[in-house]
Amino acid sequence: MEKVNTVVSCVNDASMIVKNCVKTSVANKDKSFERELLMLVVNKITDFIPNKIINVDVDVSEFVSLTHHSFNVPDKIDMLLGAEIFYELLRPGQIYAQNSQLLLQNTVFDYDVSGSVDQVAEDRVHCGLILDDDLNKTLKQFWEIESVDVKSAGDTEASLCEEHFVRTHKRNEEGRYVVSMALSRDPSCLGNSKDMAVRQLNSLWKRLSRDSEYFS
């Protein structure tokens, strides 16, 4: 099991985040077909398929070997294969079941059953979609920006800077604007550091004067 952070898009602009994946091999019974795939791991792919028992008048298993002998009985979906491998699974051979609309498609796993059957019309249509309301709410809350009141602090600092500029700026002989350095605290907080700074500067000049490379 490996960690991932993949967004899976669904019907009607819905989406979900998948956090895990696993590398596995998919093969048929006689190992004539085998592929290694990296598959996303979710708690539930979809509801039971089909969503109710389908009455089939013809026994299609008497013609060929089926991938799922109980295809008409609702059961869970263990794996969903994507387009990257789907067409590799198909093999030549289609059979239309007599007196029905069922189609048997040959695959590397034996014959799969598809098509339609005559059923009583229902108001509810099944769609293979997982919609996690809690996940959607969490994502919505994650992207929502909470309002934070920073007006007073920002306006006060900006006003002080503007006032300092108006009070101290001037234009020199070259036409450039010059403004004095703005200090957030009174310069007296520096103490008597000027004398110490002057002594250190003079000491530096003396050291440099002894070296012709730096002093000329």
Side-chain angles (χ1 to χ4, degrees):
M1 188 83 70
E2 300 178 14
K3 295 293 184 181
V4 294
N5 189 17
T6 303
V7 178
V8 178
S9 299
C10 307
V11 177
N12 197 31
D13 288 335
S15 62
M16 63 178 298
I17 298 178
V18 180
K19 295 291 186 179
N20 298 294
C21 70
V22 63
K23 184 176 291 185
T24 185
S25 293
V26 176
N28 55 8
K29 296 178 182 178
D30 60 7
K31 300 294 183 179
S32 60
F33 176 87
E34 186 172 6
R35 292 290 185 276
E36 189 175 80
L37 299 174
L38 187 65
M39 311 195 74
L40 300 177
V41 179
V42 296
N43 293 329
K44 181 181 179 182
I45 296 177
T46 184
D47 289 333
F48 280 13
I49 300 293
N51 60 339
K52 67 176 184 177
I53 296 178
I54 299 175
N55 296 321
V56 180
D57 296 331
V58 58
D59 184 10
V60 294
S61 62
E62 68 182 23
F63 304 115
V64 291
S65 177
L66 297 179
T67 304
H68 304 286
H69 292 278
S70 302
F71 66 90
N72 61 320
V73 179
D75 200 356
K76 66 178 181 178
I77 303 300
D78 297 315
M79 183 183 300
L80 181 62
L81 299 177
E84 62 182 288
I85 190 177
F86 174 76
Y87 290 99
E88 294 185 51
L89 307 179
L90 302 181
R91 291 293 181 265
Q94 290 183 344
I95 301 175
Y96 287 91
Q98 190 175 7
N99 300 324
S100 75
Q101 300 180 42
L102 298 180
L103 170 65
L104 283 65
Q105 172 65 55
N106 190 19
T107 73
V108 296
F109 305 114
D110 291 331
Y111 278 81
D112 275 342
V113 180
S114 63
S116 61
V117 293
D118 295 330
Q119 297 288 335
V120 178
E122 295 183 351
D123 295 333
R124 181 181 179 183
V125 178
H126 173 77
C127 176
L129 165 66
I130 299 175
L131 182 59
D132 192 331
D133 292 334
D134 292 335
L135 175 61
N136 288 339
K137 291 178 182 178
T138 302
L139 289 175
K140 182 179 179 181
Q141 293 173 357
F142 177 79
W143 289 110
E144 284 181 347
I145 301 176
E146 297 182 359
S147 58
V148 180
D149 187 10
V150 294
K151 182 177 180 180
S152 58
D155 286 354
T156 301
E157 185 174 339
S159 298
L160 290 175
C161 291
E162 183 178 358
E163 181 182 346
H164 174 79
F165 175 81
V166 173
R167 188 176 65 254
T168 64
H169 84 282
K170 60 182 180 180
R171 201 167 187 176
N172 62 13
E173 295 81 1
E174 299 177 354
R176 297 181 178 181
Y177 283 98
V178 180
V179 63
S180 64
M181 181 178 294
L183 300 174
S184 59
R185 298 174 60 184
D186 191 274
S188 61
C189 67
L190 298 176
N192 298 323
S193 59
K194 179 179 179 180
D195 294 338
M196 182 181 298
V198 171
R199 287 196 299 270
Q200 291 178 348
L201 178 61
N202 292 334
S203 176
L204 177 61
W205 276 113
K206 289 179 181 179
R207 290 200 302 271
L208 293 177
S209 64
R210 301 190 190 101
D211 194 333
S212 59
E213 183 179 353
Y214 298 104
F215 187 82
S216 59

